[in-house]
PDB file of all heavy atoms in Angstrom:
ATOM      1  N   LEU A 304      31.890   4.897 -12.837  1.00  0.00           N
ATOM      2  CA  LEU A 304      32.437   6.186 -12.425  1.00  0.00           C
ATOM      3  C   LEU A 304      31.311   6.983 -11.775  1.00  0.00           C
ATOM      4  O   LEU A 304      30.274   7.219 -12.404  1.00  0.00           O
ATOM      5  CB  LEU A 304      32.999   6.940 -13.632  1.00  0.00           C
ATOM      6  CG  LEU A 304      33.463   8.381 -13.389  1.00  0.00           C
ATOM      7  CD1 LEU A 304      34.597   8.435 -12.369  1.00  0.00           C
ATOM      8  CD2 LEU A 304      33.883   9.041 -14.706  1.00  0.00           C
ATOM      9  N   VAL A 305      31.512   7.383 -10.517  1.00  0.00           N
ATOM     10  CA  VAL A 305      30.497   8.110  -9.763  1.00  0.00           C
ATOM     11  C   VAL A 305      31.006   9.508  -9.462  1.00  0.00           C
ATOM     12  O   VAL A 305      32.132   9.675  -8.994  1.00  0.00           O
ATOM     13  CB  VAL A 305      30.146   7.384  -8.448  1.00  0.00           C
ATOM     14  CG1 VAL A 305      29.106   8.173  -7.657  1.00  0.00           C
ATOM     15  CG2 VAL A 305      29.646   5.975  -8.738  1.00  0.00           C
ATOM     16  N   CYS A 306      30.179  10.508  -9.742  1.00  0.00           N
ATOM     17  CA  CYS A 306      30.498  11.896  -9.426  1.00  0.00           C
ATOM     18  C   CYS A 306      29.508  12.344  -8.356  1.00  0.00           C
ATOM     19  O   CYS A 306      28.323  12.552  -8.644  1.00  0.00           O
ATOM     20  CB  CYS A 306      30.386  12.755 -10.682  1.00  0.00           C
ATOM     21  SG  CYS A 306      30.974  14.445 -10.474  1.00  0.00           S
ATOM     22  N   ALA A 307      29.964  12.459  -7.110  1.00  0.00           N
ATOM     23  CA  ALA A 307      29.066  12.737  -5.994  1.00  0.00           C
ATOM     24  C   ALA A 307      29.834  13.356  -4.843  1.00  0.00           C
ATOM     25  O   ALA A 307      31.031  13.082  -4.657  1.00  0.00           O
ATOM     26  CB  ALA A 307      28.381  11.449  -5.534  1.00  0.00           C
ATOM     27  N   PRO A 308      29.183  14.198  -4.017  1.00  0.00           N
ATOM     28  CA  PRO A 308      29.834  14.774  -2.836  1.00  0.00           C
ATOM     29  C   PRO A 308      30.295  13.694  -1.864  1.00  0.00           C
ATOM     30  O   PRO A 308      29.696  12.610  -1.801  1.00  0.00           O
ATOM     31  CB  PRO A 308      28.736  15.648  -2.222  1.00  0.00           C
ATOM     32  CG  PRO A 308      27.850  16.001  -3.371  1.00  0.00           C
ATOM     33  CD  PRO A 308      27.844  14.762  -4.229  1.00  0.00           C
ATOM     34  N   PRO A 309      31.336  13.963  -1.079  1.00  0.00           N
ATOM     35  CA  PRO A 309      31.901  12.936  -0.203  1.00  0.00           C
ATOM     36  C   PRO A 309      30.960  12.476   0.897  1.00  0.00           C
ATOM     37  O   PRO A 309      31.086  11.357   1.389  1.00  0.00           O
ATOM     38  CB  PRO A 309      33.148  13.614   0.381  1.00  0.00           C
ATOM     39  CG  PRO A 309      32.901  15.076   0.235  1.00  0.00           C
ATOM     40  CD  PRO A 309      32.097  15.225  -1.021  1.00  0.00           C
ATOM     41  N   GLU A 310      29.985  13.332   1.304  1.00  0.00           N
ATOM     42  CA  GLU A 310      29.120  12.955   2.426  1.00  0.00           C
ATOM     43  C   GLU A 310      27.922  12.121   2.005  1.00  0.00           C
ATOM     44  O   GLU A 310      27.181  11.618   2.861  1.00  0.00           O
ATOM     45  CB  GLU A 310      28.634  14.210   3.158  1.00  0.00           C
ATOM     46  CG  GLU A 310      27.656  15.087   2.380  1.00  0.00           C
ATOM     47  CD  GLU A 310      28.354  16.119   1.513  1.00  0.00           C
ATOM     48  OE1 GLU A 310      29.569  15.951   1.243  1.00  0.00           O
ATOM     49  OE2 GLU A 310      27.688  17.096   1.111  1.00  0.00           O
ATOM     50  N   PHE A 311      27.692  11.943   0.702  1.00  0.00           N
ATOM     51  CA  PHE A 311      26.546  11.164   0.252  1.00  0.00           C
ATOM     52  C   PHE A 311      26.710   9.697   0.646  1.00  0.00           C
ATOM     53  O   PHE A 311      27.831   9.174   0.717  1.00  0.00           O
ATOM     54  CB  PHE A 311      26.391  11.266  -1.260  1.00  0.00           C
ATOM     55  CG  PHE A 311      25.727  12.540  -1.722  1.00  0.00           C
ATOM     56  CD1 PHE A 311      25.588  13.621  -0.877  1.00  0.00           C
ATOM     57  CD2 PHE A 311      25.243  12.648  -3.010  1.00  0.00           C
ATOM     58  CE1 PHE A 311      24.989  14.798  -1.297  1.00  0.00           C
ATOM     59  CE2 PHE A 311      24.635  13.817  -3.448  1.00  0.00           C
ATOM     60  CZ  PHE A 311      24.500  14.896  -2.591  1.00  0.00           C
ATOM     61  N   SER A 312      25.595   9.020   0.859  1.00  0.00           N
ATOM     62  CA  SER A 312      25.643   7.613   1.278  1.00  0.00           C
ATOM     63  C   SER A 312      26.351   6.748   0.246  1.00  0.00           C
ATOM     64  O   SER A 312      27.121   5.848   0.604  1.00  0.00           O
ATOM     65  CB  SER A 312      24.227   7.088   1.521  1.00  0.00           C
ATOM     66  OG  SER A 312      23.455   7.143   0.326  1.00  0.00           O
ATOM     67  N   VAL A 313      26.136   7.005  -1.043  1.00  0.00           N
ATOM     68  CA  VAL A 313      26.777   6.183  -2.064  1.00  0.00           C
ATOM     69  C   VAL A 313      28.283   6.417  -2.091  1.00  0.00           C
ATOM     70  O   VAL A 313      29.063   5.479  -2.339  1.00  0.00           O
ATOM     71  CB  VAL A 313      26.146   6.453  -3.449  1.00  0.00           C
ATOM     72  CG1 VAL A 313      26.463   7.859  -3.948  1.00  0.00           C
ATOM     73  CG2 VAL A 313      26.592   5.411  -4.463  1.00  0.00           C
ATOM     74  N   SER A 314      28.730   7.640  -1.794  1.00  0.00           N
ATOM     75  CA  SER A 314      30.167   7.931  -1.758  1.00  0.00           C
ATOM     76  C   SER A 314      30.841   7.176  -0.616  1.00  0.00           C
ATOM     77  O   SER A 314      31.924   6.591  -0.789  1.00  0.00           O
ATOM     78  CB  SER A 314      30.397   9.438  -1.608  1.00  0.00           C
ATOM     79  OG  SER A 314      29.815  10.157  -2.670  1.00  0.00           O
ATOM     80  N   GLN A 315      30.233   7.204   0.537  1.00  0.00           N
ATOM     81  CA  GLN A 315      30.785   6.474   1.681  1.00  0.00           C
ATOM     82  C   GLN A 315      30.797   4.975   1.419  1.00  0.00           C
ATOM     83  O   GLN A 315      31.724   4.266   1.806  1.00  0.00           O
ATOM     84  CB  GLN A 315      29.972   6.813   2.930  1.00  0.00           C
ATOM     85  CG  GLN A 315      30.030   8.284   3.324  1.00  0.00           C
ATOM     86  CD  GLN A 315      29.196   8.612   4.536  1.00  0.00           C
ATOM     87  OE1 GLN A 315      28.893   7.748   5.354  1.00  0.00           O
ATOM     88  NE2 GLN A 315      28.803   9.872   4.667  1.00  0.00           N
ATOM     89  N   TYR A 316      29.773   4.494   0.737  1.00  0.00           N
ATOM     90  CA  TYR A 316      29.697   3.075   0.398  1.00  0.00           C
ATOM     91  C   TYR A 316      30.822   2.681  -0.557  1.00  0.00           C
ATOM     92  O   TYR A 316      31.456   1.626  -0.400  1.00  0.00           O
ATOM     93  CB  TYR A 316      28.337   2.797  -0.244  1.00  0.00           C
ATOM     94  CG  TYR A 316      28.018   1.341  -0.471  1.00  0.00           C
ATOM     95  CD1 TYR A 316      27.580   0.534   0.572  1.00  0.00           C
ATOM     96  CD2 TYR A 316      28.137   0.777  -1.736  1.00  0.00           C
ATOM     97  CE1 TYR A 316      27.266  -0.799   0.366  1.00  0.00           C
ATOM     98  CE2 TYR A 316      27.819  -0.553  -1.956  1.00  0.00           C
ATOM     99  CZ  TYR A 316      27.385  -1.335  -0.907  1.00  0.00           C
ATOM    100  OH  TYR A 316      27.086  -2.663  -1.117  1.00  0.00           O
ATOM    101  N   ILE A 317      31.087   3.526  -1.544  1.00  0.00           N
ATOM    102  CA  ILE A 317      32.158   3.249  -2.506  1.00  0.00           C
ATOM    103  C   ILE A 317      33.513   3.225  -1.812  1.00  0.00           C
ATOM    104  O   ILE A 317      34.351   2.354  -2.078  1.00  0.00           O
ATOM    105  CB  ILE A 317      32.140   4.300  -3.630  1.00  0.00           C
ATOM    106  CG1 ILE A 317      30.914   4.090  -4.518  1.00  0.00           C
ATOM    107  CG2 ILE A 317      33.418   4.236  -4.470  1.00  0.00           C
ATOM    108  CD1 ILE A 317      30.662   5.215  -5.492  1.00  0.00           C
ATOM    109  N   ARG A 318      33.754   4.162  -0.916  1.00  0.00           N
ATOM    110  CA  ARG A 318      35.037   4.174  -0.200  1.00  0.00           C
ATOM    111  C   ARG A 318      35.187   2.921   0.668  1.00  0.00           C
ATOM    112  O   ARG A 318      36.292   2.378   0.806  1.00  0.00           O
ATOM    113  CB  ARG A 318      35.141   5.434   0.665  1.00  0.00           C
ATOM    114  CG  ARG A 318      35.422   6.706  -0.130  1.00  0.00           C
ATOM    115  CD  ARG A 318      35.857   7.836   0.786  1.00  0.00           C
ATOM    116  NE  ARG A 318      34.780   8.247   1.671  1.00  0.00           N
ATOM    117  CZ  ARG A 318      33.895   9.200   1.382  1.00  0.00           C
ATOM    118  NH1 ARG A 318      33.971   9.836   0.227  1.00  0.00           N
ATOM    119  NH2 ARG A 318      32.945   9.521   2.232  1.00  0.00           N
ATOM    120  N   ARG A 319      34.087   2.454   1.211  1.00  0.00           N
ATOM    121  CA  ARG A 319      34.154   1.284   2.087  1.00  0.00           C
ATOM    122  C   ARG A 319      34.382  -0.003   1.302  1.00  0.00           C
ATOM    123  O   ARG A 319      35.096  -0.903   1.760  1.00  0.00           O
ATOM    124  CB  ARG A 319      32.863   1.194   2.903  1.00  0.00           C
ATOM    125  CG  ARG A 319      32.858   0.113   3.970  1.00  0.00           C
ATOM    126  CD  ARG A 319      31.804   0.383   5.027  1.00  0.00           C
ATOM    127  NE  ARG A 319      30.462   0.484   4.473  1.00  0.00           N
ATOM    128  CZ  ARG A 319      29.765   1.616   4.387  1.00  0.00           C
ATOM    129  NH1 ARG A 319      30.289   2.762   4.801  1.00  0.00           N
ATOM    130  NH2 ARG A 319      28.543   1.614   3.882  1.00  0.00           N
ATOM    131  N   HIS A 320      33.794  -0.116   0.114  1.00  0.00           N
ATOM    132  CA  HIS A 320      33.857  -1.365  -0.646  1.00  0.00           C
ATOM    133  C   HIS A 320      34.772  -1.290  -1.870  1.00  0.00           C
ATOM    134  O   HIS A 320      34.979  -2.323  -2.527  1.00  0.00           O
ATOM    135  CB  HIS A 320      32.450  -1.772  -1.095  1.00  0.00           C
ATOM    136  CG  HIS A 320      31.529  -2.120   0.033  1.00  0.00           C
ATOM    137  ND1 HIS A 320      31.591  -3.322   0.703  1.00  0.00           N
ATOM    138  CD2 HIS A 320      30.536  -1.402   0.627  1.00  0.00           C
ATOM    139  CE1 HIS A 320      30.670  -3.351   1.651  1.00  0.00           C
ATOM    140  NE2 HIS A 320      30.010  -2.201   1.629  1.00  0.00           N
ATOM    141  N   ALA A 321      35.292  -0.107  -2.188  1.00  0.00           N
ATOM    142  CA  ALA A 321      36.192   0.067  -3.342  1.00  0.00           C
ATOM    143  C   ALA A 321      35.591  -0.535  -4.610  1.00  0.00           C
ATOM    144  O   ALA A 321      36.275  -1.207  -5.386  1.00  0.00           O
ATOM    145  CB  ALA A 321      37.551  -0.578  -3.039  1.00  0.00           C
TER     146      ALA A 321
END
Side-chain angles (χ1 to χ4, degrees):
L304 173 61
V305 179
C306 188
E310 69 272 18
F311 280 15
S312 62
V313 68
S314 301
Q315 297 178 23
Y316 189 79
I317 289 169
R318 285 194 294 270
R319 187 160 58 251
H320 295 283

